[in-house]
Amino acid sequence: MFDEYQNNAIFSNEDKVLLVAAPGSGKTTVIIEKLMYLVSSGFKEDSILLITFTKKACENMRERFDKLSKSSTSPHFYTFHALFYKIIRDNINSNFEIITDENIQKFLSDILKNYIDFVSEYKIQSFMCEIIRFNASNQSIDEFETRLPKHILKDAIERYKSYKLFNNLYDFDDLEREVLRLFKDRNDILEFYRDKFKYILVDEFQDCNNVQFEILKMLSIKSKLFCVGDDDQSIYKFRGANPSIMVSFCDVFEGAKKYYLKYNYRSKHSIINFSRNVIENNRIRNKKQLCGNKKEEGEVICKKFLEDTDQGKYIVDDIENLQKSGVNLCDFAVLYRNHKDSFSILSEFIKRNIKINFLDSDFNIFEIFYIKDIINFLKFIDNPTINNFKEIYNKVTFLFSRRVNQIINKFDYDSNFFSVIDANFDKISCNDKRSIFSLKKMIKRFRKYPIDSRINGILNKLGYSLYLDNIITQKKLNKAEVNYFIEYFYNVITKFKSVDEFSKNIRLINSTHGVNFGTIHSSKGMEFRCVYIINARDMDREMNFKNNINIFYDEEEERRIFYVGITRAIDSLKILSPYFIEGRFNNRLSRFIGEGLMDSDYGNIDTCNIKKISKNKVLLYVDGKRKSLDTKDYLEIT
């Protein structure tokens, strides 16, 4: 049932064990079997603590154990934060509340306004990441390495701390630090938990930060510790995850032993070989063997495209072809680094009615409020029912009194709004009459327009752009991002004859049985028969803020993220790289592709002689002479 390496881990008896588990090596099954072995060896269920990082993983572990166990009791299953929350509630403060993300963003925005001219949501999020990294580092501000100006970071941290203290609020970082402080100050409480938990298991150990690790070290003085993870899959640096903790495990714990799960039961040989070639370029990692258990070769295809939009047609054609051989839509996954990367290919899926399942349940461009608003406006133009009017009436430049609502509420919501008002014209004020007359006139004119002109009318004539500007200011949204999403929606919907046709297609494509769309982070722990990595290019290492506030990308972190993406594939991995993304030329295809193929020149373009490049022509100088070439020929795109 279990291979040699899995059995070694399950029956290990050392006090401190680190199990390094490669992708697809069956680590969850090993953890559950380890629990069963511990119980059969004499450990009482309530003396065992299993910690993981997500509520979903925690519930999954508990369910799997309960199915196998005949006991009426079970081990303690907690996420780190749930465990710390309970410890604080039981020993320090039972009245505190967890601060909301909205409160954090508003507070940091007010601080950053003192240093930055324009504070966008992206800048706030990036700044929050550095504060989280600092809190998780267990270092002083002087010791902490950051590209942010120390005086700004220090000011933000101190004021944020005072704000939380005054309002009796905790964030998740506070839970960790409070438990660490409690254990340092109250040895009696620490001893209580040491006596309570005789065996501690930690899943996804590669996501552990410095504070969590300090607490684990304190808790496990008397108990046995069994940690499971893969430093090559540590992709949460922005939350403080530190892969070097796994690397130095045996240096920290005297007599500790590392075990390795050698076999990948998920992917076929070519995918394993490609992924191994990539990740071996990282330095901060445990050296390990990555071997496949399957005999089939599988496929890895790396393909270059002229434009990002070309990827969509290729993927849909490929999916439709593979469906003929029995592959289901839910067996495919389209993965990307950022949500924005998916927009260039979504329209092809919508146009051809290919069902989609968004892995990030809280992200769907067609569920963004301002996109839904524009759709509702378009519906009202086509069909001015009372129901459609209620969706848009407070978002236009015209003002309507409460009396208008009182009248229309007496009628069926599918009734024509203008017909109802005409029948009750004598019951409304002069201001309402003027507003309704102007609205009716515009709607009548808009019906003669194509969809693209209607959207311009909604934004500019009906005044929705003014309404949206106020919302952007109030919620501190990124205006450039909002405009980008609207422009993307505009490009998608104009491919349809009517808003009804578009809406029907959108309803059809949203399905849990569709092609999986998601960021690489959202796909962690999953597997799919066929994986497409889109927009594979070198990420900018530096995101510039005004006034020299910078966030830098980490190359090894980016390589780990890429590695997680490609190791989701079972049978087929296709990595797609366009030279033009959002209309801009990109001459840096992902270096990780070259590493996987062991071809350092893959996709490299010498731009020294290029004077100008467009999607159609390349203008360059060779030996002082001007020369014009077809772009596809020059970039060797077939």
Side-chain angles (χ1 to χ4, degrees), residues 9 11 28 46 133 194 243 269 436 477 486 544 548 551 632:
F11 298 111
T28 304
D46 62 359
R133 279 208 319 115
R194 282 175 173 169
H269 277 288
I436 290 168
L477 303 179
I486 290 176
N544 290 314
N548 295 319
I551 297 291
K632 279 192 174 182

Side-chain angles (χ1 to χ4, degrees), residues 161-375:
K161 184 178 180 181
S162 299
Y163 172 78
K164 289 184 293 181
L165 188 64
F166 181 78
N167 293 283
N168 196 27
L169 296 170
Y170 280 61
D171 61 22
F172 290 123
D173 297 331
D174 294 325
L175 299 180
E176 297 172 358
R177 292 196 306 276
E178 280 297 295
V179 169
L180 181 61
R181 183 189 61 78
L182 176 69
F183 285 175
K184 285 181 176 179
D185 294 347
R186 293 285 303 275
N187 191 63
D188 58 325
I189 294 175
L190 175 59
E191 286 297 322
F192 169 80
Y193 287 104
R194 282 175 173 169
D195 292 337
K196 182 180 178 70
F197 302 128
K198 302 296 185 184
Y199 207 111
I200 300 172
L201 300 93
V202 184
D203 186 26
E204 301 291 356
F205 186 59
Q206 75 278 350
D207 297 331
C208 211
N209 65 41
N210 291 0
V211 176
Q212 292 164 347
F213 189 46
E214 283 300 313
I215 294 170
L216 278 177
K217 287 192 289 185
M218 297 174 79
L219 267 180
S220 63
I221 290 291
K222 294 180 178 180
S223 66
K224 293 197 171 190
L225 182 64
F226 185 85
C227 299
V228 185
D230 181 9
D231 39 287
D232 291 336
Q233 296 186 74
S234 178
I235 59 173
Y236 291 101
K237 184 177 180 180
F238 62 92
R239 293 182 191 165
N242 183 0
S244 64
I245 289 173
M246 284 192 67
V247 178
S248 61
F249 188 87
C250 289
D251 297 327
V252 173
F253 295 110
E254 186 178 349
K257 184 169 181 179
K258 290 182 184 179
Y259 288 85
Y260 295 84
L261 297 186
K262 177 178 177 181
Y263 292 108
N264 180 323
Y265 290 91
R266 173 188 300 155
S267 304
K268 293 183 177 176
H269 277 288
S270 59
I271 298 167
I272 292 172
N273 292 339
F274 183 91
S275 58
R276 184 199 303 116
N277 292 342
V278 172
I279 201 60
E280 284 181 348
N281 286 277
N282 269 7
R283 289 170 296 147
I284 303 174
R285 63 187 297 267
N286 285 292
K287 302 294 183 202
K288 56 187 79 85
Q289 286 183 294
L290 300 173
C291 300
N293 179 260
K294 294 182 177 179
K295 296 179 180 178
E296 300 90 343
E297 183 64 21
E299 66 174 359
V300 176
I301 295 173
C302 302
K303 189 167 177 60
K304 294 178 280 188
F305 294 86
L306 183 63
E307 297 183 68
D308 48 3
T309 52
D310 296 336
Q311 300 171 109
K313 187 176 185 308
Y314 170 82
I315 294 172
V316 173
D317 286 345
D318 197 46
I319 287 173
E320 289 182 340
N321 183 51
L322 289 169
Q323 277 188 288
K324 295 172 185 175
S325 60
V327 185
N328 297 317
L329 286 179
C330 58
D331 291 326
F332 297 95
V334 178
L335 304 180
Y336 33 85
R337 183 64 177 84
N338 302 303
H339 286 299
K340 205 173 175 182
D341 288 328
S342 67
F343 299 160
S344 61
I345 69 167
L346 265 174
S347 57
E348 191 70 27
F349 280 76
I350 298 168
K351 188 168 62 177
R352 291 167 66 173
N353 290 327
I354 303 294
K355 289 181 171 58
I356 291 173
N357 173 45
F358 289 98
L359 297 178
D360 302 86
S361 56
D362 60 345
F363 183 86
N364 180 341
I365 185 174
F366 304 113
E367 292 296 321
I368 299 174
F369 77 90
Y370 46 87
I371 301 299
K372 291 175 76 173
D373 283 346
I374 295 173
I375 292 173

